[in-house]
Amino acid sequence: QVQLVESGGGSVQAGGSLRLTCVVSGYIVRPYCMGWLRQAPGMEREAVATIDSDGKTNYADSVKGRFTISQDNGGNTLYLQMNNLKPEDTAMYYCAADFWRLCPIGDFNYRGQGTQVTVSS
């Protein structure tokens, strides 16, 4: 059974930075697609950034140039470096994973409990 546990959320002022970490436990099958999703109150959940086992990355237009997704330990740890944060980045951020396929994908079969990011103006 795969489990994902996020950490690193918090409250920052606009222009600040945060680094989210996701520890993925269990047997990681290749190929895989992993990513960070976010959901603000009353909004649809959206994919912020994804990375697959080939190292290919993809970003939502709203975060390009500000967020960077990375991984190490063969996919066991996933990161999201968030710079120049804006109030509209405020949301619950979820780590997500799916296996036997590369990105892009429509949805993920595995998701963590989430970590809250709050950006004040």
Side-chain angles (χ1 to χ4, degrees):
Q1 182 73 5
V2 174
Q3 291 187 321
L4 300 90
V5 179
E6 306 95 335
S7 62
S11 297
V12 295
Q13 292 206 325
S17 298
L18 283 173
R19 190 193 198 200
L20 305 183
T21 299
C22 174
V23 176
V24 183
S25 61
Y27 187 64
I28 296 177
V29 177
R30 288 175 177 257
Y32 61 74
C33 176
M34 295 188 184
W36 291 94
L37 316 175
R38 69 183 179 187
Q39 188 167 21
M43 303 290 284
E44 294 280 324
R45 187 163 59 232
E46 65 170 337
V48 175
T50 61
I51 187 167
D52 63 25
S53 47
D54 282 354
K56 183 179 63 181
T57 59
N58 193 54
Y59 297 91
D61 287 342
S62 58
V63 306
K64 281 180 181 176
R66 300 188 299 121
F67 291 11
T68 303
I69 189 170
S70 60
Q71 62 185 347
D72 65 9
N73 294 331
N76 288 92
T77 309
L78 190 68
Y79 303 99
L80 185 68
Q81 178 66 42
M82 306 185 293
N83 297 328
N84 191 21
L85 282 160
K86 303 177 180 181
E88 51 264 42
D89 294 318
T90 295
M92 184 70 79
Y93 284 71
Y94 300 90
C95 175
D98 211 305
F99 304 98
W100 297 112
R101 49 182 178 163
L102 296 171
C103 303
I105 62 176
D107 201 0
F108 294 85
N109 281 322
Y110 299 94
R111 193 170 71 241
Q113 293 298 307
T115 185
Q116 177 68 37
V117 172
T118 303
V119 184
S120 57
S121 57

